[in-house]
Amino acid sequence: MAAAPVWSVDPRTGKQREQVGVETGPAGVDAAVRAAHAARDALTDRAARIDLLGAAADELEAARAEIVRTADAESALGETRLGGELSRTTAQLRAFADEVTDGGYLGVVIDHPDPSATPPCPDLRRYKIPLGVVAVYGASNFPLAFSVPGGDTASALAAGCPVVVKAHPDHPATSELCAAALRRAAARAGLPKGTVAVVHGFEAGVELVRHPLVAAAGFTGSVRGGRALFDAAAARPVPIPFHGELGSLNPVVVTADAAAERAEEIGGGLAGSMTLGSGQFCTKPGLVLVPVGDAGDRLVDALAGQVAAVPPGPMLDAGMLVAFLEGVAARAELDGVGTPVAVRPDEDGGNAIGAGFLTVPAAKLVADGPHRLLLEECFGPVTVVVRHQDDDEAAAVLGALGGNLTATVHLGTAEAAGTDPGARGAALLRRLTGLAGRVLVNGWPTGVAVAPAQQHGGPYPATTTPTTSVGATAIERWLRPVTYQDTPEPLLPPELREANPLGLPRRVDRLRTG
């Protein structure tokens, strides 16, 4: 049987742009993984990895115009947004080059022998080594920053792991352009061609996570798709780490004091955040707790006015549009759910949709039943406003939530200063900390800074592991620690030798050096 073609499709029109190639069969997946596996030894050279990451950023910049133009044609995200995403992607690659240069990620710890300790301590030297071939699954909503050249790939290469990327079907041409740039970078750094590879097709993705030479996987996508791959990774004869970002509601709590002080400002900020990128951000605020009363009403009115004024925007593909409309309709039919602004298809047709939002009393959500559907992510430009009577009702709703990437609280002036009676602001912050990996005060969660302190991950189902896919510590997902005991100096890796020939940051006998 002939392999199925891989088409690049314009989401604005639904028309095929070009055939990029054909879906990768089992033999193709096997060849890509084996070539990546063979590249492992070359990637142990830290200098070569630093060169690779810098060259990758350079090559992507050199192809900027074509990459941005192609990504827009496949995603309809707009060249301005995609230009910024490419800049973020290249900055991320250079940031990981800096991490490799610094060497702190290796976590070098040396304990010299101490026969007086109980029990006696031998000579112990610990650092981290790469896991091996990493499978990366590209995301639909970020064709650059969370796809072929994105954070999973950049952090894996920085760790010394070759990468095989399963391209997202929404942007195959962009994926191939980026892969070509990374392969040119590998050649410039003197690394094997198999250091980075791309495969296409649903079956290729399944074959990839099951391949015995794949040592770990990174995924960004839906709960359903991610959970299936997660289960496949765990069911292997030798299970592997699966770092998946699956789904997040990103709850927002607005206190009565905050609503009284700045209802219109909060309503406008919420409208901008929930409609950004047609609501197709993993950090979109999807559930917002607003107090009952005049101040809360003013907030909802401001939200309605702002959301109604946002022009329809395109969804990433026709399937997502259908799923979104079905999801909104199912939620809107529930008893007690209001629709102050209904989502609306673009009058000109196509794949565009106008934003909307739903309202529901908090009491409906805390009872078991069909209203629990409102506690599941609905990917697209919609949010659910939950009207709560008091702190107890708000706490009950939060208690019904699963894990999230973010959680946000909008506080009044006294609450933010910690001078409010009963320290309600501090108590809310503690409760939200248990729900999410990133907790915001008086802000909005859309937009994820690439910084060393960033945490983009949270309790399940936000992510399958308590790690981050953004920021310097993302590299830790692709490493494992090894300790050498009483090992003669000539046999030690250079990173662990007494003289510290590589000048690495280390902790020696409980003291930090370097």
Side-chain angles (χ1 to χ4, degrees), residues 226-254:
R227 185 55 196 254
L229 291 171
F230 180 36
D231 292 345
R236 291 166 40 127
V238 178
I240 59 172
F242 183 89
H243 301 288
E245 179 190 322
L246 309 187
S248 184
L249 267 181
N250 306 301
V252 177
V253 179
V254 181

Side-chain angles (χ1 to χ4, degrees), residues 184-247:
R184 290 193 297 271
R188 283 176 50 183
L191 291 166
K193 185 178 179 181
T195 298
V196 179
V198 171
V199 297
H200 296 272
F202 175 83
E203 292 299 330
V206 176
E207 290 283 340
L208 189 57
V209 79
R210 291 176 176 167
H211 197 288
L213 296 181
V214 167
F219 171 91
T220 303
S222 68
V223 173
R224 181 180 178 184
R227 185 55 196 254
L229 291 171
F230 180 36
D231 292 345
R236 291 166 40 127
V238 178
I240 59 172
F242 183 89
H243 301 288
E245 179 190 322
L246 309 187

Side-chain angles (χ1 to χ4, degrees), residues 398-414:
L398 294 176
L401 297 181
N404 289 271
L405 294 172
T406 73
T408 302
V409 60
H410 280 267
L411 301 173
T413 302

Side-chain angles (χ1 to χ4, degrees), residues 105-128:
Y105 73 96
L106 291 167
V108 176
V109 181
I110 296 175
D111 288 318
H112 289 108
D114 183 359
S116 67
T118 304
C121 181
D123 186 275
L124 298 172
R125 295 166 187 251
R126 184 184 194 267
Y127 80 142
K128 297 174 184 176

Side-chain angles (χ1 to χ4, degrees), residues 115-425:
S116 67
T118 304
C121 181
D123 186 275
L124 298 172
R125 295 166 187 251
R126 184 184 194 267
Y127 80 142
K128 297 174 184 176
I129 63 172
L131 291 174
V133 178
V134 170
V136 171
Y137 294 80
S140 63
N141 56 341
F142 282 87
L144 304 174
F146 282 85
S147 293
V148 172
D152 285 350
T153 295
S155 57
L157 293 174
C161 297
V163 173
V164 180
V165 184
K166 189 273 180 185
H168 197 280
D170 279 356
H171 38 78
T174 306
S175 296
E176 287 295 339
L177 284 174
C178 292
L182 297 185
R183 285 192 289 267
R184 290 193 297 271
R188 283 176 50 183
L191 291 166
K193 185 178 179 181
T195 298
V196 179
V198 171
V199 297
H200 296 272
F202 175 83
E203 292 299 330
V206 176
E207 290 283 340
L208 189 57
V209 79
R210 291 176 176 167
H211 197 288
L213 296 181
V214 167
F219 171 91
T220 303
S222 68
V223 173
R224 181 180 178 184
R227 185 55 196 254
L229 291 171
F230 180 36
D231 292 345
R236 291 166 40 127
V238 178
I240 59 172
F242 183 89
H243 301 288
E245 179 190 322
L246 309 187
S248 184
L249 267 181
N250 306 301
V252 177
V253 179
V254 181
T255 68
D257 285 1
E261 291 177 7
R262 54 184 199 281
E264 289 77 15
E265 176 188 336
I266 294 172
L270 172 57
S273 185
M274 61 155 285
T275 61
L276 187 65
S278 295
Q280 297 170 113
F281 274 52
C282 53
T283 51
K284 179 200 75 176
L287 188 83
V288 187
L289 281 79
V290 175
V292 169
D294 176 67
D297 292 345
R298 288 190 290 114
L299 190 159
V300 173
D301 288 344
L303 174 64
Q306 294 283 344
V307 169
V310 175
M315 296 290 282
L316 291 162
D317 63 47
M320 288 185 188
L321 175 61
V322 170
F324 173 68
L325 291 173
E326 290 177 349
V328 172
R331 288 161 173 79
E333 291 173 356
L334 295 171
D335 179 55
V337 172
T339 311
V341 178
V343 299
R344 58 206 185 281
D346 188 1
E347 293 178 357
D348 296 331
N351 207 31
I353 191 74
F357 70 96
L358 308 172
T359 59
V360 66
K364 293 286 186 180
L365 284 185
V366 298
D368 288 331
H371 287 80
R372 290 301 177 102
L373 178 63
L374 296 166
L375 302 181
E376 297 178 11
E377 181 184 21
C378 188
F379 192 71
V382 73
T383 196
V384 177
V385 175
V386 181
R387 304 300 300 271
H388 61 91
Q389 296 281 352
D390 51 34
D391 290 349
D392 289 341
E393 270 200 344
V397 173
L398 294 176
L401 297 181
N404 289 271
L405 294 172
T406 73
T408 302
V409 60
H410 280 267
L411 301 173
T413 302
E415 293 167 331
T419 59
D420 56 312
R424 292 168 59 245

Side-chain angles (χ1 to χ4, degrees), residues 84-98:
E85 187 179 332
L86 181 57
S87 296
R88 165 198 170 137
T89 302
T90 57
Q92 187 167 238
L93 286 160
R94 293 189 175 106
F96 277 115
D98 292 341

